[in-house]
Amino acid sequence: VTSVGSIAEARVEAARLKPSHAVVDMRLEDGNGLDLVTEMRAMSPDVRIVMLTGYGNLATAVASGPGPTAVLS
């Protein structure tokens, strides 16, 4: 398990580790987690992603196209 605190750190670790699973928060200090999900899908289309949000913005996550595998709000 690897933990990061920003999208910038996540990009580095995702490229290095090529994870099969990821848990991503929708709102991060340096951007939107949905952007990270899109980037991770481009690197590894089969990655399983759980999107977290404390803001109840489920419609945004679902409408994001080939985004998260699951959404927890």
Side-chain angles (χ1 to χ4, degrees):
V1 173
T2 300
S3 176
V4 298
S6 69
I7 290 177
E9 291 177 295
R11 285 180 181 128
V12 171
E13 291 302 307
R16 183 176 75 85
L17 297 171
K18 306 283 191 261
S20 61
H21 293 75
V23 177
V24 177
D25 196 346
M26 186 171 291
R27 292 190 185 180
L28 298 166
E29 66 181 42
D30 59 344
N32 186 324
L34 287 173
D35 296 334
L36 178 61
V37 169
T38 300
E39 291 178 37
M40 291 183 72
R41 287 264 183 238
M43 283 189 272
S44 180
D46 294 331
V47 65
R48 307 280 293 176
I49 299 172
V50 174
M51 174 70 68
L52 299 175
T53 179
Y55 298 95
N57 203 347
L58 181 63
T60 301
V62 172
S64 66
T69 306
V71 177
L72 301 175
S73 105

